[in-house]
Amino acid sequence: MHRIFRDAPDLLARLVPETGVKFPEYSSIEPLDTDLTEIRPLERRVDSFFRVRTAGDEGGFLLAVESQTKPDPEKHNSWTYYMAHMYAKYRLPPILVVVCRDKKTAAWAEEPIRIGCSFHTSMEVFPLVLGPIGVRPITDPEEAAKDPALTTFSVLINAKDPGILAILDAVAPVLGPDAKWAEYIEVGLDDGPARDHWRKLMAVYTPNFPGFGSVMEETWIQVHSDGEAKGKVEGKAEDILRVLEVRGIEVSDAVRERVMACGDLEVLGTWFDRSLTVETAEGLFAGE
């Protein structure tokens, strides 16, 4: 639900107004690192993260996009943390966009999050929610052809609509020939009649369809897993260097390159433990 924005960041500018908020004129929307991990052993990772550069001189703003499948009170802790951390790190106003596929979750997600005491609110977070109420399904082939990314998102967000099979019938001739958007729908639909129906449609509209579903899905899962593993390695390496920096220990280019080049989480874990006590950066590699 959120990864589609990485392929089409400009789609956010067309969808955010659906929440009732005007999207300002912008010069670019660029993906940022989704890792918001701190030095302490606590990992928090936003689903997708973007910086929006505007025409003015204010530096733009940040967009954190979260995909939510059900109400989860624990998310309130994560979302308020994301907002505070992003503002502190980038010194730019952060905005939270939550995408949901059912009305119950969307209604829960758009409730303001208030932090504080009964007599005073210290922080409030107002999520912008994209859900099946605000984003209508696109069933006109001519309209669908004008904006395939928006059409694909409308299918995903309305995947639980009772008329989803008819929606798929309408967009298949437009999206089917484009493997990228066809794959988003393939993965985004839950197991069941809708996905089975889409696969039958793709057998007609997508070239070289045999094995499309299983091969594509396995590939997506592998890429996603590899990306998460790479993110953990890079995050741990950055934590090590950050600890040394906070402790006032000088880090040479050679040490920095060696830490960032390491792809072994176990080794990085050992170096992280040493970074808390070593007197020099080179002490990370003692005995190696």
Side-chain angles (χ1 to χ4, degrees):
M1 293 297 296
H2 66 87
R3 292 176 67 89
I4 186 173
F5 296 115
R6 301 186 190 182
D7 273 318
D10 290 346
L11 180 58
L12 284 162
R14 302 195 290 281
L15 281 167
V16 167
E18 297 289 343
T19 68
V21 175
K22 182 180 179 181
F23 201 97
E25 292 186 12
Y26 63 95
S27 58
S28 68
I29 303 179
E30 57 196 54
L32 298 177
D33 188 355
T34 60
D35 186 0
L36 301 181
T37 308
E38 290 186 318
I39 296 175
R40 56 182 177 173
L42 174 64
E43 184 173 286
R44 296 184 187 271
R45 199 175 293 271
V46 67
D47 286 343
S48 284
F49 190 29
F50 304 87
R51 175 175 180 172
V52 181
R53 298 184 184 275
T54 55
D57 297 327
E58 298 178 355
F61 58 95
L62 306 173
L63 277 177
V65 183
E66 286 278 281
S67 179
Q68 194 66 24
T69 57
K70 62 181 180 179
D72 181 3
E74 285 299 315
K75 278 294 183 178
H76 287 175
N77 294 332
S78 299
W79 291 345
T80 51
Y81 170 85
Y82 294 160
M83 296 294 99
H85 180 85
M86 288 187 291
Y87 185 70
K89 181 174 181 179
Y90 293 94
R91 294 294 192 270
L92 292 173
I95 295 176
L96 173 65
V97 177
V98 183
V99 290
C100 311
R101 288 199 294 186
D102 65 90
K103 297 178 182 178
K104 179 181 179 181
T105 303
W108 166 82
E110 67 183 2
E111 294 177 358
I113 304 169
R114 294 182 170 87
I115 298 176
C117 303
S118 58
F119 60 87
H120 177 71
T121 299
S122 300
M123 177 189 290
E124 285 185 298
V125 175
F126 298 89
L128 301 180
V129 178
L130 295 171
I133 296 177
V135 182
R136 62 178 179 81
I138 296 175
T139 56
D140 179 9
E142 185 174 341
E143 182 184 0
K146 293 179 180 178
D147 198 335
L150 179 60
T151 301
T152 300
F153 186 83
S154 76
V155 172
L156 298 177
I157 209 72
N158 290 282
K160 297 183 181 296
D161 189 295
I164 184 61
L165 299 188
I167 296 172
L168 295 176
D169 286 337
V171 302
V174 177
L175 300 180
D178 190 324
K180 178 171 69 174
W181 304 124
E183 288 177 4
Y184 266 108
I185 295 178
E186 163 80 7
V187 173
L189 293 172
D190 295 330
D191 283 327
R195 178 179 282 178
D196 293 339
H197 187 67
W198 182 251
R199 287 174 172 169
K200 292 177 182 178
L201 291 171
M202 291 304 94
V204 177
Y205 294 108
T206 301
N208 304 317
F209 178 79
F212 170 87
S214 59
V215 172
M216 184 282 304
E217 194 166 353
E218 290 174 3
T219 300
W220 185 89
I221 291 172
Q222 182 61 49
V223 170
H224 186 65
S225 299
D226 290 347
E228 286 190 345
K230 182 180 179 181
K232 290 181 179 179
V233 167
E234 291 179 351
K236 181 64 73 174
E238 290 171 355
D239 287 347
I240 293 169
L241 298 175
R242 178 61 176 161
V243 169
L244 294 175
E245 178 184 341
V246 170
R247 294 184 59 220
I249 295 178
E250 184 177 351
V251 179
S252 66
D253 290 342
V255 170
R256 185 179 302 276
E257 290 175 4
R258 181 172 177 181
V259 171
M260 294 304 299
C262 181
D264 190 322
L265 269 176
E266 185 175 347
V267 172
L268 289 171
T270 299
W271 290 352
F272 179 81
D273 293 341
R274 292 176 181 173
S275 70
L276 301 172
T277 58
V278 293
E279 296 182 359
T280 65
E282 288 71 18
L284 294 174
F285 319 124
E288 299 179 11

